[in-house]
Amino acid sequence: MKLICIGRNYTDHIKELENEKPTDPVVFLKPDTAILLKKQPFFIPDFSEDVHHEVEVLVKINKVGKHIAKKFAHKYYDEIGLGIDFTARDLQAKLKEKGLPWEKAKAFDGAAVVGNWMSKSNIDNVNNISFSLEKNGEVVQTGNTSHMLWKIDELIEYISKYFTLKIGDIIFTGTPAGVGRVNAEDKLVGFIENKQMFSITVK
Ligand code: ZN
């Protein structure tokens, strides 16, 4: 399986990193080895001094598809989750400066937190999901999927032009503002509405 990640999908986060608003979604992949194993702490890698949390709504693909039209996209997922796209911001900045791919900064072991899943049938509207991240008990990121530049079904249409989507693939739909550095002993807890979706410790 693969993790398909979307960058710059919330205008407030684009402003925060002083990036230009894209005309197409920014897409990158993480391998399955990037998934942080359940109940394991996240270890800050020794090649970075500035790893950031990016809390993101996740979509789990339940059917094989390619060239999926937006109007049929809703048939390709029935579970929504929450996760973190950990990013070695210092390394990413160096790579971006040189025009090089981001993988070393985003696809390293443990860089993808995949929390619990909830059935889409328990969600009124996937385009109006509130979510948040707490760091050491303090809310550091809040978002709502209504603020996405490309909504979930549009992302599925776009991504599936390039990659065949397979059962179990996970889409990371982008982060809202509030990204920030993590330090050893931090505790990160993610919520959809008031429901806890993951809790991890940083080492
Ligand atoms: Zn991200």
Side-chain angles (χ1 to χ4, degrees):
M1 57 84 71
K2 57 190 175 292
L3 310 174
I4 306 118
C5 305
I6 304 300
R8 302 175 199 165
N9 202 22
Y10 289 84
T11 40
D12 53 356
H13 175 60
I14 293 171
K15 277 189 209 140
E16 175 176 69
L17 293 187
E18 295 179 353
N19 285 317
E20 281 173 39
K21 189 181 163 185
T23 50
D24 286 297
V26 174
V27 180
F28 57 96
L29 301 179
K30 298 195 191 212
D32 57 4
T33 46
I35 296 174
L36 185 66
L37 298 174
K38 290 276 180 217
K39 300 197 166 83
Q40 292 300 305
F42 170 75
F43 287 92
I44 297 174
D46 59 7
F47 51 77
S48 178
E49 304 285 311
D50 193 25
V51 172
H52 281 196
H53 54 76
E54 296 190 355
V55 70
E56 311 199 359
V57 168
L58 311 184
V59 177
K60 194 198 275 180
I61 297 298
N62 66 357
K63 198 152 75 162
V64 176
K66 187 164 173 70
H67 293 300
I68 301 163
K70 183 184 156 190
K71 64 177 174 180
F72 298 121
H74 66 97
K75 299 181 177 191
Y76 287 80
Y77 61 101
D78 52 23
E79 286 180 291
I80 297 287
L82 196 73
I84 296 180
D85 164 22
F86 276 120
T87 304
R89 195 71 73 201
D90 44 359
L91 180 54
Q92 185 195 29
K94 278 187 207 152
L95 295 167
K96 274 165 84 171
E97 201 179 298
K98 293 181 184 158
L100 294 170
W102 292 350
E103 271 80 358
K104 286 193 288 183
K106 280 189 170 277
F108 56 88
D109 288 1
V113 173
V114 175
N116 298 330
W117 295 98
M118 60 167 71
S119 168
K120 198 170 67 176
S121 59
N122 293 332
I123 295 169
D124 292 339
N125 177 1
V126 294
N127 295 322
N128 188 15
I129 299 172
S130 293
F131 59 99
S132 61
L133 180 73
E134 285 183 4
K135 184 168 86 174
N136 306 326
E138 190 186 322
V139 178
V140 286
Q141 287 193 270
T142 57
N144 188 292
T145 55
S146 65
H147 299 141
M148 288 179 170
L149 295 176
W150 288 275
K151 303 290 188 279
I152 291 171
D153 291 357
E154 291 169 317
L155 290 174
I156 288 175
E157 178 177 71
Y158 187 84
I159 291 165
S160 68
K161 284 183 197 171
Y162 297 89
F163 310 118
T164 297
L165 292 175
K166 294 177 79 174
I167 295 168
D169 286 352
I170 297 171
I171 301 173
F172 279 65
T173 60
T175 193
V179 301
R181 180 176 168 169
V182 295
N183 294 295
E185 305 310 324
D186 280 349
K187 193 178 176 199
L188 301 169
V189 185
F191 298 88
I192 286 183
E193 311 290 349
N194 294 320
K195 200 167 187 294
Q196 186 178 312
M197 304 302 282
F198 62 77
S199 173
I200 59 159
T201 307
V202 179
K203 296 282 183 190

